[in-house]
Amino acid sequence: MNTKPLIDYFNNILSLNNEEETFVENVFKERRIKRRQFILQEGEICKHNTFVLEGCFKMYFIDANGKEHNLQFAIENWWIGDISSFHIEEPSKLYIEAIENSVILQINKEDQLKLFVDYPKFNRIFRVLAENAMIGLQKRTIQNISSTAEERYLDFLKRYPQFFNRISNVQIASYLGVTPEFLSAIRKKIAKS
């Protein structure tokens, strides 16, 4: 099992000692996920916090009309999971699906709580992760209510260039809250300018 990228990730936030690294190696479990395979579906309780070693995922919900709404994408060295379902242990309203063949590391809630109790440094590390996620959510919310679709698309291009060969325009449109046709028109307009 390759936990080095995860340990490096943690060390970039706060340096771990050998005992902490060993605990991480023991509690995180590696899984290989095939393209289009789910690691969470609506109605299930999210039992794991997931770190992506290789591959790409999307997290989405499906509305009453059957329309998919992408909330998050995750690639190498990113986290993905239904935080609400994981912490409150309520059935999820979300799906998490692999867009590519992927390799992930997962920790269950019991082991994550043990990590916090036995190694308090991880309280701070996961607090930083939560704060960064909240900052990202606030920025996205403000952008969604104050920017045009074209501005949102240009910002997405600038912030996430690594996604453009990995996710479809339909998925990007869903994430931006526009139709694929509207996104296509935006892309043509930008190409002409």
Side-chain angles (χ1 to χ4, degrees):
M1 180 169 74
N2 181 16
T3 57
K4 185 179 182 329
L6 177 60
I7 289 170
D8 289 347
Y9 183 94
F10 287 144
N11 279 324
N12 283 333
I13 299 170
L14 204 58
S15 293
L16 304 181
N17 62 37
N18 289 339
E19 185 180 347
E20 292 161 337
E21 288 184 7
T22 299
F23 192 79
V24 166
E25 290 167 356
N26 290 330
V27 296
F28 278 86
K29 306 300 180 214
E30 183 179 290
R31 288 183 61 199
R32 296 189 175 278
I33 307 297
K34 293 184 178 176
R35 180 178 179 270
R36 303 192 119 185
Q37 183 179 345
F38 292 93
I39 59 171
L40 181 69
Q41 294 188 62
E42 180 182 21
E44 297 175 348
I45 294 174
C46 184
K47 303 247 184 219
H48 300 94
N49 208 343
T50 301
F51 181 80
V52 181
L53 286 176
E54 297 173 21
C56 184
F57 288 85
K58 64 179 178 175
M59 181 167 63
Y60 61 94
F61 75 93
I62 297 177
D63 68 21
N65 297 321
K67 184 177 178 189
E68 182 179 304
H69 300 271
N70 286 316
L71 303 177
Q72 179 188 351
F73 300 105
I75 57 172
E76 293 82 8
N77 297 321
W78 288 31
W79 294 87
I80 194 162
D82 181 342
I83 296 169
S84 175
S85 178
F86 182 76
H87 287 287
I88 301 172
E89 298 182 4
E90 66 183 13
S92 180
K93 293 180 168 71
L94 305 175
Y95 295 84
I96 301 175
E97 180 182 351
I99 295 173
E100 303 170 350
N101 290 337
S102 302
V103 181
I104 57 177
L105 293 174
Q106 293 185 307
I107 187 169
N108 64 40
K109 185 176 180 180
E110 181 183 328
D111 284 336
Q112 185 168 312
L113 292 174
K114 187 170 174 42
L115 189 70
F116 294 162
V117 171
D118 293 351
Y119 304 98
K121 191 180 291 181
F122 286 97
N123 276 315
R124 185 164 174 211
I125 289 171
F126 277 84
R127 189 190 80 224
V128 168
L129 296 176
E131 289 169 351
N132 289 341
M134 181 58 84
I135 290 166
L137 180 61
Q138 284 180 341
K139 286 181 178 179
R140 183 171 178 204
T141 302
I142 290 168
Q143 185 182 54
N144 282 346
I145 60 176
S146 65
S147 301
T148 66
E150 183 175 335
E151 291 168 336
R152 291 194 309 272
Y153 176 67
L154 290 171
D155 183 67
F156 187 86
L157 282 174
K158 180 180 163 190
R159 288 178 45 205
Y160 307 115
Q162 65 273 40
F163 285 132
F164 282 89
N165 293 326
R166 300 177 86 171
I167 59 176
S168 72
N169 288 330
V170 171
Q171 293 166 347
I172 295 169
S174 172
Y175 179 83
L176 296 175
V178 298
T179 66
E181 296 78 16
F182 192 72
L183 179 61
S184 180
I186 290 171
R187 294 179 74 216
K188 284 179 188 171
K189 178 183 171 190
I190 292 169
K192 287 180 183 176
S193 18

